[in-house]
Amino acid sequence: MSVDQVDPGRLPWRLVIALLAVVLGATALVMGLRGGDRSPRLPSDAVTQGGIAVYGAYVREPATDTAAAYFTIRNIGDTADTVVAVSSPVAKSAMLHDVGKKPMSDEGPMDSGSMVPSPTVVLEPGDVVTLQPGSGHLMLDGVTGTIVPGSTVNLKLVLEHAGTITVKAPVVGLTERAPST
Amino acid sequence: MLRRLRSTAALLVGASLALTGCAASDQGGGVASVSQVANDSAYRGVELNPEWQRPSFTLTDQTGQPYDFKARTTGVPTILYFGYTHCPDVCPLIMGQLSAAIDAAPKDIRSKLQVVFVSTDPVTDTPPVLASYLSKFDGALPVKYVGLTGDVASVEAAQSTTGVPVAEDGGKTHSTMAIYYGTSNEAHVAWLANTNADDIGHDLPIGVK
């Protein structure tokens, strides 16, 4: 290093740059960590309203008059909010099930499917809830009309503070893979 | 260990790691004692070790006729699954992935493999209901799926003799294992509902014997 040879009255420019880089890097790291919850980079399909973002929505093509919808819901605001109701114009009734259930493989090979109602879902600031097969779904019961790949289904989520959020969920065919979220 | 294996498998096939990886850090394995998974398993599904034997039970098929599972499927590669038709979540997912995997399987497997769906909600799942349901899945396949129903005691006995937990809550809480018996009448692998068609397709030729 050439530091020793520099005039003692002045800071070596390389050191200044290095220090600046460290400070900038640390700032960015702190901002990045903090911003991870509050101002995340959301997927392009995200619908945001009143501090709540919903994205990655899809509906599995039903084999009966019962279908399941999946999505991710994230609190990007500063206050807690609660999902208090769900509905869809294509279904007689809708309900959240198994929200917060651990993904299937956590239980080992003897895990079972289940349908435990989740009437309300509380989202603290920064919370991310992902519904995925085996760990939460929005059940659409008594579906009407043709729900086939290529079409979309409107899902309505009612939040205590953010109000009613409508998401367009594309339909995924019965033999297609689950989209990764 | 199971979780790690499954995550690794998902990585290998470029599958949905995000689906399974997010909760990996704070949960243990919880592998049931009937099965074990080795990291050197040839299967991407859940390896059954020791292997499971093809069970014997007779129920009613979707045409209303008696179906003796063991007699009808002995020597035939068979996938056995317990579920119910109004299950919105895991049942259509695994059934659809099975269909996709079988459709893409080598001809000798595709032309023989029998899928048998046993209802855990036999009160709702009458033969006509099962027939309508299964037709959504087997349309492209040469071997049509068999759907079985019966009285509650009989379908519970079928689950017990197979070795899966007996369904509860009117059939809604049920095993998610799709058990694959080979021509030797032993099952070496089963798939959970979060297994994708590529993983099932990978395991089909290995477990066929």
Side-chain angles (χ1 to χ4, degrees):
Chain A
M1 298 287 282
S2 58
V3 173
D4 293 343
Q5 287 138 29
V6 173
D7 182 357
R10 295 162 53 201
L11 273 173
W13 62 271
R14 283 187 191 172
L15 185 59
V16 171
I17 289 175
L19 280 171
L20 253 173
V22 168
V23 169
L24 278 174
T27 308
L29 184 65
V30 170
M31 298 289 282
L33 288 174
R34 209 186 48 170
D37 288 341
R38 299 298 169 85
S39 49
R41 191 173 299 152
L42 296 169
S44 57
D45 69 336
V47 176
T48 61
Q49 180 177 310
I52 296 294
V54 183
Y55 48 90
Y58 72 93
V59 170
R60 173 68 65 180
E61 178 188 7
T64 62
D65 65 348
T66 308
Y70 305 91
F71 50 83
T72 297
I73 183 164
R74 181 169 197 154
N75 188 340
I76 57 172
D78 296 326
T79 52
D81 208 340
T82 306
V83 184
V84 292
V86 292
S87 67
S88 170
V90 304
K92 283 187 188 132
S93 65
M95 180 175 277
L96 291 168
H97 284 136
D98 294 332
V99 175
K101 188 187 172 201
K102 289 185 288 181
M104 267 172 290
S105 49
D106 287 342
E107 303 295 331
M110 301 305 275
D111 179 38
S112 35
S114 61
M115 296 270 277
V116 179
S118 312
T120 58
V121 178
V122 177
L123 296 155
E124 298 294 338
D127 275 1
V128 181
V129 171
T130 298
L131 307 184
Q132 54 185 286
S135 55
H137 61 267
L138 191 167
M139 185 180 76
L140 301 170
D141 208 5
V143 296
T144 53
T146 310
I147 300 181
V148 293
S151 61
T152 58
V153 169
N154 281 348
L155 307 174
K156 288 178 191 292
L157 314 182
V158 182
L159 285 104
E160 193 176 1
H161 300 299
T164 301
I165 301 177
T166 302
V167 186
K168 278 198 185 304
V171 177
V172 172
L174 274 171
T175 57
E176 289 179 56
R177 289 200 10 200
S180 50
T181 49
Chain B
M1 186 167 67
L2 176 66
R3 157 150 298 286
R4 190 169 303 124
L5 176 79
R6 299 193 67 78
S7 296
T8 307
L11 253 182
L12 285 173
V13 298
S16 48
L17 183 67
L19 289 180
T20 56
C22 53
S25 56
D26 58 350
Q27 271 125 24
V31 179
S33 59
V34 290
S35 309
Q36 62 183 50
V37 177
N39 281 330
D40 59 354
S41 170
Y43 298 98
R44 292 183 185 168
V46 177
E47 185 167 4
L48 304 175
N49 189 1
E51 65 280 354
W52 289 21
Q53 301 301 317
R54 190 181 296 264
S56 177
F57 54 82
T58 299
L59 292 167
T60 303
D61 72 14
Q62 72 265 49
T63 68
Q65 298 302 307
Y67 189 92
D68 182 334
F69 177 79
K70 192 166 191 178
R72 296 287 284 273
T73 63
T74 290
V76 178
T78 310
I79 296 169
L80 176 62
Y81 184 75
F82 296 90
Y84 64 106
T85 63
H86 278 76
C87 164
D89 185 37
V90 295
C91 307
L93 180 63
I94 187 71
M95 293 297 285
Q97 296 303 296
L98 289 174
S99 297
I102 296 165
D103 199 27
K107 195 181 166 200
D108 59 328
I109 292 177
R110 186 175 182 274
S111 64
K112 291 194 186 109
L113 179 55
Q114 179 67 64
V115 172
V116 177
F117 177 98
V118 179
S119 174
T120 57
D121 178 15
V123 176
T124 306
D125 293 340
T126 59
V129 171
L130 283 170
S132 166
Y133 178 75
L134 295 175
S135 69
K136 301 288 202 311
F137 295 100
D138 63 10
L141 302 176
V143 182
K144 299 307 173 192
Y145 292 178
V146 169
L148 300 180
T149 185
D151 59 61
V152 173
S154 299
V155 299
E156 289 187 345
Q159 293 166 66
S160 295
T161 190
T162 299
V164 299
V166 174
E168 297 168 8
D169 188 22
K172 294 185 177 67
T173 299
H174 60 92
S175 161
T176 65
M177 299 175 78
I179 307 154
Y180 181 36
Y181 303 94
T183 52
S184 66
N185 299 322
E186 291 174 343
H188 298 275
V189 65
W191 304 287
L192 303 181
N194 57 349
T195 314
N196 65 50
D198 288 349
D199 290 346
I200 295 167
H202 169 272
D203 290 349
L204 281 175
I206 306 172
V208 76
K209 291 187 273 303

